[in-house]
Amino acid sequence: MFQSTAPSSSFPKSINGKGTQHTPSPTPLLDLPALQSASRVLHDQFVKDAQAVPELGEMLTTSGLQSSAAYSVFPDDYRVPFQKRRLVRIPESLFQYYNTTNVTTHMGLLPELDRVWITIDQNLFLWDYIEGQELSSFSDQPDVITHVALVKPKPGVFIDEITSLLVLCTPVSILLIGISVADVPGPSNRTRKEIKMYATDMSVPCEVEMSSVAGTSDGRIFMTGVQDGHLYELHYQEKEGWFGKRVQLINHSVGGVQSLLPRLGSAKAEDRMTTVVSDSYRNLFYTLTVNNTISVYRTNGDKAVQHLQTISNLYKLAQDKAPGSPALTPKSFSIISLHVLEPGHSQYSAQLMAITTNGVRLFFGTSSSLSRQLQLLHVRLPPSNLIHPDEALNPMRPPSAPSYGLGQQGQQITNRPYLVSTLDIAAYEAGLTIAAQPGDTEDTDFLLCMSPDLTRIGNLGQLHAPAPQMQPPQPQYNTYGAVQGPTRPVLTEYATLLTIPGRTWAMAPVPRPPLAAAAITPSDCPAPTLTNELSTQFSEPSRQFMILTNVGLTFLAKRRALDYLQAVIEEYQVEGNAQPLIEFRDSFGRDQTCAMLLAIAAGNTFLDIGEQSYIGTISIVNPDLAAVARQAFYDFGERPIWTERTTYGTSEGSGTATFSGRREGLALYFARLVRPIWKAKVVKPGPFGLQEPNISDDVLVVIQKNLFALKEMLDRNPHLFHSAPGDHAGVRSAAATEQEAWKVEQASVFQLLSLLSRTIEAISFILLLTDHRIGELIAQCDVEVQKTFQTLTFEQLVTDQSGVNVSRALVNVVINQQIGQQISVDTISEVLQQRCGSFCSTDDVMLYKARENVRKAAETKNPAERQNWLAESLRLFTKGARIMEFEKLREIVGDYQQLNYAKGAIELPLYCAQVFDIDHQGQDYWYSGCPANDPRAEFWQRRLNCYDLVLDSLQVFEDRSDSAAAQTGSLEDPQTVKRHAYELALASEDEMFHSTLYDWLIQRGFSDELLEMRPVYLEAHLRREPATVEKYQLLWQFYVKDGQPLRAAEVLGALADSTEFDLPLEARLEYLTLAVGNAKSHPVSVGGKHETAVAFLTELEEKLEVAQVQLETYHALLPQASQPGEVGAKIKLLSKALFNITELYQGYAVPFDLPTIKLLILHVSEHRDDNIVRPIWNKLFEQGEKHKLMYFAAMEGLEPAAAADRIASKVIPLGSRFYPSESAFPLRHVASLLVRFALANKAVVPFGWAPRILVQCGVPHAEVWDILHEMYESQIPPFNEQANVQHLSSDIAILLTDWLEEAKRPQAGGARTVRGEFPVYRIDQAVDQYLSELAPDRTETKVAYENIKRQLRRNW
């Protein structure tokens, strides 16, 4: 529709959004990084706005340009810079006072009071022009009033209600009247000022008539004398004093000025002071004389002023700046007024402007920061091509090419130019100048109106209109702050002439309404220049001037770019011509235009150039107008562009997106709406040590209304930020790079929309807190929260974690306040959710409602109701657990404990443990063995904290059940509560909690109960690292209880073998014994692992035998364990761990020469080696050796009988222990040693000594007889001697006798020979042999043999 230099889509399809994607609404979850990213975008726009338009001082001091006359003058209506809004006529009631023709009357403006002052002779009337007809009057003095001024009072002199003073001047006196002001509702939803006048009894007579009264910010009053042109001060104080009257008039021209310059005498009559102007910004005041001389003063102590500077010869100075200018002639060079300029931020700061009768403006300032002397910086010549108002009334738009913004060199204006020459009154504010002169006819005045042309001086990314014959170039996208061409642009202004009815008496800027505070930039935020109305037009009403004439009061409004754009769209609607829209875009730049189109489409509160209501209401925009604005926004916004950037030396490339005008316009409009609050602190110190809101509610409401209107419009038109199929100018599908650009743009827009929603809610949140007395709420928070809030900015509240924390704390305080006042939280929580959901989420509301349910449960006496309230609270707490803080959880669990609500006290912290470790990082950390310096440890600790609450609840319920006192008055049986609590805890499926619970129970001595219950995770817990003796002890018992004896045996075996535990040897032996016992209990059929089980049992039994050997070895060596050095240390090692049989033999039995241990080892290992075992036994019988480390003492030095007893005492225990092991007890060798010892000591050792020792060792009689018989028959030395054979025969006789006696005994458990098995025949035959070979002298032996034969005959 709006075809221009860039391709755009067609008009109708996208109005309804058909066929387009829908932007998803921002997610309710708070994505702080996304909000912070969007906030950085806003900050970028702040910076751009601050750099877009240079300050006035910078343009006036452009190098080489000491004067300028660049103006944009247009005949067409929509670009006229000022517009007459309304005329309020002087009330008819006033004319009754004109009862005679001979009256003296004066008029003037008191904008601060919304009043016009009118004097008729001695009567003063104050006309309330807001209300329209109301008049206040004062006539309590007799003299004609010639001048009235409003000044500030000195602090402490009057009552607090008096906020200003009226200075009434007559030819003979000066009178002060106190004024108090109160805002009351007025017409059109505006406020009006209600005033009260107070008599001060302060007046002073004067000899000259006063005019041009000016008050300073500290309450001093200066004025000029009409007749003498002197500078006077009206001094007043609270009381009469020794050194001064209560009111007095001081003539500073005569004696009171401390001048920095030599005095040249009193003022000459021809150079009288006519004007005094106060500069409250710099604490100076200026005077102007009839001869165009300007003086600069400052107050210097009570009743004194200091003259700083005088600037004279201004005509010559101006000529030097603008030589040859026709506007500068001695005749026309007469200054009519001085105007104080607002301070700027740059070093080039102009501070005073003077205007002459023909419109020449002289700008004064300091040339450098070092010099404070005022100098003429720049001469601004008047426009030379003004259009006469009569000719501008019916402008005809020429059909030629656009001329917008070309200045006076562009459009050729064929009308006759008009020059102003008799200006007599002027006003200035924020770069805007208006001045009046008499018109062509008697009843009208002409107004010269001038304002900066931002399209010429600003860096807006604009594309200036080309000459008619040139083709339009492609749009350019300039970077903000990078001004093309000269470093500082030349000042260019719009200029126009308007007519107003009547003769002008006074003019003044309309005071900024309270809502103008919505455009004030906080100190920490980049601020736009005062002349950059683009940045403030969405946040404050248009600036206005009022012109008082004898007809009435005319209001003149500054037309902003927004107003031009509205007019252009309306013209498009009427005429269908889109060219002015395209010209506007080219003049103000794509992004600025898009921002303004958004404001129109959304109905910005400051859209209407007319009267502004006090609170600001969303403008009702014609739907057709809004539709055109939306479509122009879509078409002018164009599309984002992707720029590839390849990194040198790599194949990978990256790129950046240049955003479309739509995204830039959104960011710009959004930033301008929130700039007044974004970097501002939320609160400031207030009375009584409390904080109070830093930004007024009215300002917040207006900003919020505009933000909400923007959001609502974008929600209704989601297609505005999506590409349409026709966007790609002949290309069927966008290239990959283009898609990438759209992707980046949509992500950025989405973040901005999220920030928009969050900001709207943040303002609602602050307004709600204000309603609840924000200062008192903050005082109830923690000290840390209070400190944070004192420095918190709106930006941080919206986008920073500190803002989230502080807001949550404040919501908690509000809710607690409600609960404390027994008020249902439903109302407040619904308000919070509806107005600021992201500050009070559904989870938050659930928590608050849950806490209220707990309160109700505590109050009710009905057990069923109590359970219902508690169950509902638990349900809600569980739903809101995601945002619950641990301290809050601790409080809730404490409440549940108090109310004996086991289900809540156990299940809620268990659920929170899961929620606080939502990604299971803490659980994974636990499973991996809790490694050091692992970031997951934080989540593990969070879980543990929750588990501690569960354990605390169990302890509380347990203590309560043990205490009889706790049972009294309780609605629940403490035993039942305790049992239920344990059931709930053990029913949990959280393995990590179970492990914590088991440890806690074991520490408190409940191991047996735990084993009886055998909960599901107990086995895994006992097997988990780190292993401990206690865990293993419980684990094998668990397996026994669980019917798994083989696994119990495995655990016991591992425990006995373990090297990490410091177990005594006896304990290891006990574990092995238990292991063997459990292994033997293993059923044969279980698991089909019989062979494995048998092998395991065998291994255990062998280990047990070896361990027993080790224990015996240890006890044998224990007396030497206290020896120093290696010997003692080596012996102690035996008690620390288990050794194998080889280690025991080689490491201990051999080095320490332990015969018994050696035999024991040979026996256990079943190692048969005669070369090893026989020397051991030989040593037992050897004579003459001493073995201190052996059990056996040497036989040397003993009597044979004693030696025989010693041998018997050693051999019998060893034989009893080792027989029939040939490994440790080689029977034939031992028998041989015994017999040989008996033969060697025949005289002492009795017959049968050797065989009886063997029988006592457990060797059967038959086996002993066989061995002795072999010796008898062997003929091997010493049995080749007859004496030895005969001795042996006697031993055999004793053996057979003993054997026969045993065989004859009744069969008892201890008898080793069964009667039926006794070899009667064989013995009978052998006895016959022995008798036949017996020596005759062996009578005793013979009797024995014969007795044997008789017994055989008798018994068998």
Side-chain angles (χ1 to χ4, degrees):
M1 188 75 194
F2 307 120
Q3 294 299 332
S4 67
T5 53
S8 65
S9 63
S10 58
F11 179 75
K13 290 184 182 175
S14 50
I15 289 287
N16 299 320
K18 291 179 182 175
T20 61
Q21 311 156 283
H22 285 271
T23 306
S25 61
T27 171
L29 289 175
L30 215 51
D31 183 356
L32 290 180
L35 294 175
Q36 288 159 2
S37 174
S39 182
R40 286 192 291 275
V41 172
L42 297 189
H43 185 79
D44 292 344
Q45 302 300 332
F46 298 155
V47 173
K48 288 179 183 179
D49 261 351
Q51 298 173 347
V53 177
E55 287 193 347
L56 181 64
E58 293 179 13
M59 293 182 285
L60 297 176
T61 54
T62 301
S63 178
L65 287 172
Q66 297 185 326
S67 65
S68 61
Y71 292 91
S72 301
V73 179
F74 297 103
D76 48 352
D77 196 34
Y78 75 84
R79 284 178 285 195
V80 172
F82 285 87
Q83 181 176 357
K84 290 176 286 185
R85 292 304 301 170
R86 63 190 175 109
L87 170 65
V88 183
R89 295 191 174 273
I90 293 174
E92 291 292 333
S93 58
L94 197 63
F95 290 102
Q96 67 182 332
Y97 294 97
Y98 291 91
N99 49 10
T100 66
T101 54
N102 188 20
V103 295
T104 305
T105 183
H106 298 275
M107 286 194 292
L109 289 167
L110 301 173
E112 300 85 352
L113 301 180
D114 291 342
R115 298 292 192 276
V116 168
W117 64 267
I118 302 169
T119 62
I120 301 175
D121 293 336
Q122 77 276 17
N123 299 305
L124 168 68
F125 299 95
L126 297 180
W127 166 36
D128 179 355
Y129 53 78
I130 299 295
E131 196 278 334
Q133 297 297 318
E134 185 178 310
L135 288 170
S136 308
S137 64
F138 174 79
S139 54
D140 290 352
Q141 60 86 42
D143 302 309
V144 173
I145 300 172
T146 56
H147 187 72
V148 176
L150 190 75
V151 297
K152 282 187 177 180
K154 289 180 179 177
V157 175
F158 305 102
I159 59 174
D160 292 342
E161 283 79 4
I162 293 178
T163 55
S164 48
L165 295 174
L166 272 183
V167 184
L168 273 55
C169 301
T170 75
V172 294
S173 66
I174 303 166
L175 175 69
L176 295 182
I177 298 174
I179 301 287
S180 71
V181 182
D183 289 332
V184 295
S188 305
N189 200 24
R190 292 189 62 181
T191 59
R192 51 178 285 270
K193 295 187 186 324
E194 188 174 78
I195 64 171
K196 288 182 183 176
M197 289 190 266
Y198 295 83
T200 64
D201 295 330
M202 288 189 177
S203 64
V204 64
C206 56
E207 298 175 357
V208 293
E209 182 183 330
M210 298 295 168
S211 67
S212 187
V213 178
T216 64
S217 55
D218 57 357
R220 295 178 69 173
I221 305 170
F222 296 96
M223 54 195 77
T224 57
V226 175
Q227 289 82 3
D228 59 9
H230 287 180
L231 175 66
Y232 290 89
E233 179 181 0
L234 180 65
H235 176 79
Y236 60 95
Q237 57 195 39
E238 189 177 3
K239 295 176 182 175
E240 294 276 345
W242 288 101
F243 303 105
K245 298 177 181 177
R246 189 170 178 226
V247 188
Q248 64 183 119
L249 195 64
I250 301 170
N251 187 340
H252 288 300
S253 294
V254 173
V257 179
Q258 302 168 355
S259 178
L260 297 176
L261 308 171
R263 284 193 62 78
L264 300 174
S266 60
K268 296 178 182 176
E270 62 270 18
D271 197 17
R272 294 177 294 106
M273 289 184 192
T274 57
T275 305
V276 59
V277 177
S278 175
D279 183 349
S280 58
Y281 301 117
R282 304 167 186 89
N283 292 319
L284 301 173
F285 63 95
Y286 312 100
T287 60
L288 174 68
T289 68
V290 290
N291 286 345
N292 303 320
T293 298
I294 297 172
S295 295
V296 186
Y297 298 86
R298 73 168 171 223
T299 56
N300 188 21
D302 198 28
K303 301 185 185 180
V305 297
Q306 184 174 8
H307 176 217
L308 300 178
Q309 181 184 0
T310 294
I311 310 171
S312 53
N313 295 321
L314 280 176
Y315 173 66
K316 183 170 188 319
L317 293 173
Q319 269 199 322
D320 291 344
K321 298 281 185 186
S325 169
L328 289 173
T329 62
K331 183 181 177 183
S332 63
F333 191 83
S334 174
I335 296 174
I336 57 170
S337 58
L338 300 178
H339 303 275
V340 175
L341 306 183
E342 302 85 352
H345 298 284
S346 74
Q347 58 178 322
Y348 311 103
S349 185
Q351 68 185 60
L352 187 68
M353 180 191 80
I355 185 167
T356 68
T357 52
N358 65 341
V360 175
R361 282 168 290 166
L362 309 175
F363 289 93
F364 300 89
T366 53
S367 59
S368 71
S369 57
L370 299 175
S371 169
R372 292 192 173 184
Q373 291 285 305
L374 276 189
Q375 296 181 6
L376 177 60
L377 298 178
H378 191 89
V379 175
R380 181 79 177 145
L381 299 170
S384 59
N385 58 340
L386 288 168
I387 303 169
H388 192 281
D390 293 344
E391 294 171 1
L393 287 176
N394 299 302
M396 295 284 291
R397 182 174 183 83
S400 61
S403 61
Y404 183 69
L406 280 179
Q408 47 197 62
Q409 297 82 13
Q411 169 115 9
Q412 295 301 312
I413 298 172
T414 55
N415 308 311
R416 59 190 172 95
Y418 184 87
L419 297 175
V420 291
S421 58
T422 56
L423 299 175
D424 55 6
I425 193 165
Y428 168 89
E429 184 186 40
L432 312 176
T433 308
I434 63 168
Q437 75 170 32
D440 293 346
T441 59
E442 188 178 340
D443 297 330
T444 60
D445 270 7
F446 286 167
L447 283 182
L448 169 63
C449 307
M450 295 170 287
S451 69
D453 181 355
L454 301 187
T455 67
R456 288 294 173 191
I457 63 174
N459 185 31
L460 313 174
Q462 66 268 54
L463 177 70
H464 289 296
Q469 66 272 23
M470 292 174 62
Q471 289 301 313
Q474 293 297 311
Q476 303 175 53
Y477 307 113
N478 295 341
T479 309
Y480 281 83
V483 180
Q484 306 289 323
T487 53
R488 295 200 294 275
V490 180
L491 176 61
T492 305
E493 292 175 291
Y494 293 120
T496 191
L497 265 185
L498 300 176
T499 58
I500 56 167
R503 185 71 195 91
T504 303
W505 280 77
M507 58 174 60
V510 175
R512 307 305 291 145
L515 286 182
I520 296 172
T521 305
S523 57
D524 292 339
C525 183
T529 55
L530 197 63
T531 49
N532 182 5
E533 69 176 13
L534 293 175
S535 65
T536 57
Q537 60 182 342
F538 307 131
S539 304
E540 63 174 358
S542 59
R543 293 187 181 270
Q544 297 188 52
F545 290 89
M546 46 189 174
I547 296 95
L548 177 65
T549 67
N550 53 3
V551 173
L553 195 60
T554 299
F555 285 87
L556 191 69
K558 167 70 177 71
R559 297 182 77 242
R560 306 155 298 174
L562 198 57
D563 305 313
Y564 300 160
L565 181 56
Q566 267 190 282
V568 165
I569 294 176
E570 287 165 1
E571 181 178 333
Y572 166 78
Q573 286 181 288
V574 173
E575 299 180 9
N577 180 11
Q579 191 60 34
L581 259 175
I582 295 166
E583 289 176 25
F584 185 93
R585 190 273 317 272
D586 293 345
S587 295
F588 282 95
R590 179 194 69 174
D591 299 348
Q592 301 285 347
T593 304
C594 284
M596 287 184 260
L597 288 166
L598 266 186
I600 293 171
N604 182 276
T605 52
F606 300 101
L607 211 53
D608 183 10
I609 194 174
E611 297 299 320
Q612 300 297 327
S613 71
Y614 181 69
I615 302 236
T617 51
I618 295 297
S619 305
I620 306 299
V621 182
N622 178 301
D624 295 336
L625 185 79
V628 174
R630 287 195 302 272
Q631 187 58 42
F633 172 77
Y634 187 88
D635 291 339
F636 285 169
E638 298 168 331
R639 60 179 183 269
I641 299 167
W642 184 260
T643 308
E644 287 287 352
R645 188 174 62 244
T646 306
T647 308
Y648 180 73
T650 66
S651 58
E652 294 180 10
S654 59
T656 53
T658 302
F659 293 112
S660 73
R662 284 175 262 179
R663 185 272 195 186
E664 291 292 326
L666 170 63
L668 194 55
Y669 183 48
F670 186 2
R672 285 171 175 173
L673 291 179
V674 299
R675 185 182 61 242
I677 63 171
W678 202 242
K679 303 286 184 181
K681 288 190 173 68
V682 178
V683 292
K684 63 184 178 184
F688 312 113
L690 298 175
Q691 300 291 313
E692 64 181 13
N694 187 31
I695 308 288
S696 75
D697 285 3
D698 291 341
V699 171
L700 290 176
V701 167
V702 168
I703 292 172
Q704 187 187 45
K705 280 182 178 179
N706 283 316
L707 292 173
F708 185 76
L710 172 63
K711 179 181 183 300
E712 206 172 31
M713 189 275 291
L714 294 176
D715 288 346
R716 286 198 309 266
N717 299 276
H719 65 280
L720 290 178
F721 288 101
H722 287 275
S723 58
D727 259 9
H728 304 299
V731 182
R732 289 192 178 181
S733 62
T737 54
E738 218 168 303
Q739 290 175 351
E740 197 64 36
W742 278 108
K743 197 185 299 179
V744 172
E745 166 143 323
Q746 293 201 6
S748 180
V749 168
F750 180 75
Q751 290 177 346
L752 285 168
L753 295 181
S754 298
L755 186 63
L756 177 62
S757 299
R758 172 86 172 156
T759 307
I760 293 168
E761 293 184 359
I763 294 174
S764 289
F765 182 63
I766 293 301
L767 293 172
L768 184 138
L769 292 179
T770 305
D771 292 342
H772 284 79
R773 298 197 179 112
I774 189 169
E776 294 176 12
L777 296 178
I778 295 170
Q780 293 177 50
C781 293
D782 296 340
V783 176
E784 278 305 310
V785 172
Q786 292 185 40
K787 284 182 182 173
T788 306
F789 212 117
Q790 287 166 14
T791 59
L792 194 75
T793 64
F794 274 88
E795 178 186 22
Q796 290 169 327
L797 176 68
V798 172
T799 66
D800 194 74
Q801 186 60 47
S802 61
V804 174
N805 298 341
V806 163
S807 58
R808 184 159 291 158
L810 282 165
V811 170
N812 282 336
V813 170
V814 172
I815 298 294
N816 286 336
Q817 212 176 59
Q818 300 284 305
I819 293 174
Q821 295 167 3
Q822 308 290 308
I823 301 171
S824 169
V825 298
D826 284 352
T827 308
I828 184 68
S829 59
E830 281 173 22
V831 170
L832 281 164
Q833 271 204 288
Q834 287 170 5
R835 289 171 55 182
C836 39
S838 64
F839 288 84
C840 179
S841 65
T842 310
D843 292 340
D844 286 318
V845 173
M846 285 177 186
L847 294 184
Y848 302 139
K849 289 184 177 177
R851 286 175 60 194
E852 187 174 27
N853 287 337
V854 172
R855 176 178 64 81
K856 290 176 180 175
E859 291 170 356
T860 185
K861 299 298 182 189
N862 184 323
E865 272 188 15
R866 169 180 283 201
Q867 284 303 312
N868 289 340
W869 287 126
L870 289 172
E872 179 61 13
S873 74
L874 177 59
R875 184 183 72 80
L876 294 171
F877 277 135
T878 304
K879 280 194 168 185
R882 185 174 61 87
I883 60 156
M884 194 185 298
E885 295 167 0
F886 178 73
E887 286 306 315
K888 195 62 65 181
L889 173 63
R890 190 200 299 276
E891 283 179 33
I892 295 161
V893 171
D895 290 341
Y896 281 153
Q897 290 171 1
Q898 287 296 316
L899 295 168
N900 273 333
Y901 187 47
K903 186 173 175 66
I906 302 300
E907 288 188 350
L908 181 60
L910 283 176
Y911 183 78
C912 287
Q914 304 282 345
V915 172
F916 293 174
D917 183 24
I918 198 70
D919 296 325
H920 306 295
Q921 293 187 55
Q923 198 171 37
D924 294 344
Y925 171 74
W926 178 68
Y927 278 134
S928 58
C930 302
N933 301 321
D934 192 312
R936 296 174 297 175
E938 178 191 349
F939 298 95
W940 168 74
Q941 188 59 51
R942 286 185 197 172
R943 276 181 173 262
L944 284 187
N945 292 340
C946 294
Y947 298 154
D948 286 344
L949 292 180
V950 181
L951 301 181
D952 181 62
S953 296
L954 292 173
Q955 182 73 59
V956 167
F957 295 140
E958 201 167 294
D959 293 346
R960 205 169 285 167
S961 74
D962 294 341
S963 165
Q967 295 183 25
T968 59
S970 173
L971 294 178
E972 302 282 348
D973 172 33
Q975 283 288 347
T976 308
V977 173
K978 168 192 161 185
R979 192 162 50 249
H980 186 41
Y982 272 105
E983 286 169 359
L984 291 166
L986 290 166
S988 166
E989 295 182 358
D990 184 345
E991 186 179 355
M992 188 174 160
F993 164 68
H994 273 269
S995 188
T996 309
L997 174 64
Y998 302 155
D999 278 338
W1000 181 71
L1001 288 170
I1002 291 165
Q1003 284 167 10
R1004 298 173 65 243
F1006 288 112
S1007 305
D1008 293 342
E1009 289 84 348
L1010 203 54
L1011 291 171
E1012 285 300 326
M1013 288 187 292
R1014 295 200 300 282
V1016 63
Y1017 294 109
L1018 183 56
E1019 179 185 356
H1021 168 70
L1022 296 175
R1023 295 185 73 91
R1024 182 171 293 107
E1025 295 292 335
T1028 64
V1029 176
E1030 291 78 11
K1031 278 187 178 179
Y1032 275 17
Q1033 288 268 32
L1034 290 171
L1035 184 60
W1036 77 261
Q1037 293 176 61
F1038 171 84
Y1039 285 136
V1040 170
K1041 300 260 186 194
D1042 203 41
Q1044 302 183 67
L1046 192 61
R1047 299 196 74 172
E1050 288 171 353
V1051 174
L1052 285 161
L1055 193 53
D1057 278 337
S1058 65
T1059 54
E1060 64 262 41
F1061 304 131
D1062 188 15
L1063 294 171
L1065 186 56
E1066 291 82 356
R1068 295 179 188 273
L1069 195 61
E1070 181 188 350
Y1071 294 143
L1072 281 173
T1073 307
L1074 289 166
V1076 170
N1078 278 290
K1080 286 178 178 176
S1081 304
H1082 178 65
V1084 174
S1085 60
V1086 172
K1089 297 182 178 177
H1090 181 59
E1091 295 80 3
T1092 311
V1094 171
F1096 179 57
L1097 173 59
T1098 306
E1099 183 187 343
L1100 283 176
E1101 288 175 328
E1102 290 174 355
K1103 279 184 179 177
L1104 178 59
E1105 286 181 332
V1106 175
Q1108 289 166 336
V1109 173
Q1110 182 173 333
L1111 182 63
E1112 193 167 325
T1113 307
Y1114 178 62
H1115 285 308
L1117 296 175
L1118 195 55
Q1120 302 172 60
S1122 57
Q1123 286 190 21
E1126 289 185 12
V1127 172
K1130 190 172 185 181
I1131 293 169
K1132 287 173 186 171
L1133 278 177
L1134 283 170
S1135 67
K1136 302 289 185 187
L1138 292 180
F1139 290 78
N1140 62 37
I1141 202 76
T1142 306
E1143 290 168 339
L1144 289 173
Y1145 188 80
Q1146 294 177 351
Y1148 293 91
V1150 173
F1152 291 101
D1153 197 11
L1154 307 174
T1156 305
I1157 301 302
K1158 290 179 184 175
L1159 294 174
L1160 182 57
I1161 289 171
L1162 291 169
H1163 168 65
V1164 168
S1165 65
E1166 297 180 356
H1167 181 74
R1168 190 165 181 175
D1169 187 341
D1170 290 346
N1171 294 327
I1172 295 173
V1173 72
R1174 287 185 177 184
I1176 298 170
W1177 281 102
N1178 292 343
K1179 277 193 176 182
L1180 296 175
F1181 291 88
E1182 279 177 1
Q1183 306 265 332
E1185 288 184 9
K1186 292 183 179 179
H1187 298 282
K1188 291 179 183 177
L1189 298 178
M1190 290 171 58
Y1191 287 113
F1192 314 109
M1195 302 306 167
E1196 184 185 351
L1198 291 176
E1199 293 294 323
D1205 291 342
R1206 179 64 61 86
I1207 288 172
S1209 68
K1210 302 305 177 189
V1211 172
I1212 291 169
L1214 291 173
S1216 302
R1217 184 172 185 182
F1218 299 133
Y1219 175 82
S1221 168
E1222 284 295 321
S1223 302
F1225 190 73
L1227 182 55
R1228 279 171 170 70
H1229 182 66
V1230 173
S1232 172
L1233 291 173
L1234 287 168
V1235 170
R1236 286 170 190 267
F1237 179 83
L1239 293 176
N1241 299 281
K1242 292 182 184 122
V1244 179
V1245 178
F1247 294 126
W1249 177 79
R1252 279 180 169 164
I1253 287 177
L1254 291 173
V1255 169
Q1256 287 181 64
C1257 286
V1259 183
H1261 292 80
E1263 199 167 343
V1264 178
W1265 179 40
D1266 285 344
I1267 292 168
L1268 294 181
H1269 187 71
E1270 282 176 16
M1271 294 179 186
Y1272 182 83
E1273 297 278 6
S1274 69
Q1275 298 292 314
I1276 298 170
F1279 303 112
N1280 57 355
E1281 295 179 13
Q1282 193 57 38
N1284 292 342
V1285 173
Q1286 291 300 315
H1287 190 280
L1288 188 59
S1289 180
S1290 297
D1291 282 345
I1292 291 171
I1294 299 297
L1295 172 68
L1296 292 175
T1297 301
D1298 291 346
W1299 190 7
L1300 183 63
E1301 286 300 318
E1302 186 185 80
K1304 285 190 336 187
R1305 279 193 219 114
Q1307 295 301 312
R1312 282 177 287 181
T1313 304
V1314 181
R1315 184 181 178 89
E1317 294 175 359
F1318 190 67
V1320 178
Y1321 178 75
R1322 187 175 158 223
I1323 292 172
D1324 188 53
Q1325 292 289 317
V1327 169
D1328 288 344
Q1329 180 188 346
Y1330 298 146
L1331 282 170
S1332 66
E1333 295 173 359
L1334 191 65
D1337 56 344
R1338 295 274 173 178
T1339 56
E1340 191 179 339
T1341 304
K1342 182 179 180 183
V1343 171
Y1345 280 136
E1346 288 172 346
N1347 186 41
I1348 289 168
K1349 284 186 75 71
R1350 272 196 305 276
Q1351 293 291 339
L1352 289 174
R1353 300 287 185 277
R1354 186 181 300 154
N1355 293 296
W1356 280 275

